[in-house]
């Protein structure tokens, strides 16, 4: 299954590039993204989250319709805002209430390369805004409380350091075993 990149990995903070052409390779990526997102019980997933600096994301809102957005552009948002507790597959186990516009209008290409315009509200509007943020290197924690965001970044940095230390120790252990076996 395709890897989902986590907070602290550079690709999540980089601006994604437009998809030049909708090819079979892009459609295969879309299939892999849906598989990974559904397996992890997500509702949206963007290219950077799977290590691809491409302006592409998928969504599966409460109507269970699979939606693909290639080179999306939000062309309008409502003035009315709503608060909602958001989470992210790239920041597992972290949730924060984020205020966003209630409705959006987005233009994009579908998986066949055909342009479309969609007016969305509710959960789908929120997913679209969250995923477009990913394409611009913005995470949902950037839109909330600054102290909370710093705390979460520090937690993930420590977690990554601990994992790196464990990995290095495993590698040293394997090298010692290999060296021992070589001597015998």
């Amino acid at each position: 299954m395709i890897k989902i990149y986590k907070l602290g990995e550079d690709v999540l903070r980089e601006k994604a590039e437009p998809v030049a052409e909708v090819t079979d390779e892009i459609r295969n990526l879309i299939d892999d993204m849906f598989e990974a997102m559904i397996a992890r019980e997500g509702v949206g997933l963007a290219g950077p989250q799977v290590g691809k600096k491409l302006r592409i994301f998928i969504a599966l809102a409460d109507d269970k319709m699979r939606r693909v957005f290639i080179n999306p552009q939000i062309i309008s948002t409502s003035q009315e805002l709503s608060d909602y507790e958001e989470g992210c597959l790239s920041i597992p186990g972290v949730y924060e209430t984020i205020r966003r516009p209630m409705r959006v209008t987005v233009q994009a290409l579908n998986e066949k390369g055909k342009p479309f315009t969609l007016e969305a509200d509710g959960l789908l509007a929120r997913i679209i805004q969250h995923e477009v943020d990913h394409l611009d290197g913005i995470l949902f924690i950037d839109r909330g409380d600054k102290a909370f965001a710093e705390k979460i970044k520090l937690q993930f940095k420590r977690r990554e350091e601990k994992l790196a230390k464990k990995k290095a120790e495993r590698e040293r252990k394997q090298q010692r075993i290999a060296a021992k076996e070589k001597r015998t």
Side-chain angles (χ1 to χ4, degrees), residues 29-90:
L29 172 63
I30 291 165
D31 291 342
D32 290 345
M33 289 172 68
F34 270 113
E35 180 184 356
M37 180 187 73
I38 291 167
R40 291 170 177 90
E41 299 180 5
V43 295
L45 190 63
Q49 291 180 274
V50 295
K52 305 294 183 190
K53 278 182 44 175
L54 295 171
R55 294 191 75 76
I56 182 171
F57 74 85
I58 58 170
L60 188 63
D62 25 23
D63 64 0
K64 302 301 180 208
M65 187 171 161
R66 292 180 181 214
R67 291 183 173 89
V68 175
F69 299 80
I70 300 171
N71 299 335
Q73 288 186 302
I74 295 176
I75 56 173
S76 71
T77 60
S78 67
Q79 289 188 4
E80 302 88 9
L81 305 174
S82 70
D83 293 337
Y84 189 85
E85 189 175 69
E86 291 187 25
C88 181
L89 294 175
S90 291

Side-chain angles (χ1 to χ4, degrees), residues 151-163:
K151 176 182 157 193
I152 296 304
K153 290 174 192 174
L154 184 58
Q155 279 179 355
F156 271 77
K157 183 179 180 191
R158 287 182 181 150
R159 186 182 302 171
E160 288 304 312
E161 288 169 351
K162 194 181 278 187
L163 289 172

Side-chain angles (χ1 to χ4, degrees), residues 77-129:
T77 60
S78 67
Q79 289 188 4
E80 302 88 9
L81 305 174
S82 70
D83 293 337
Y84 189 85
E85 189 175 69
E86 291 187 25
C88 181
L89 294 175
S90 291
I91 314 175
V94 175
Y95 301 91
E96 185 178 14
T97 300
I98 303 296
R99 180 168 284 174
R100 294 189 188 266
M102 290 175 67
R103 289 181 300 286
V104 298
T105 302
V106 62
Q107 290 180 333
L109 301 175
N110 66 17
E111 66 277 12
K112 295 176 182 166
K114 303 287 183 212
F116 69 92
T117 302
L118 175 70
E119 292 181 21
D121 61 8
L123 179 60
L124 182 57
R126 184 162 296 272
I127 294 168
I128 290 167
Q129 293 171 82

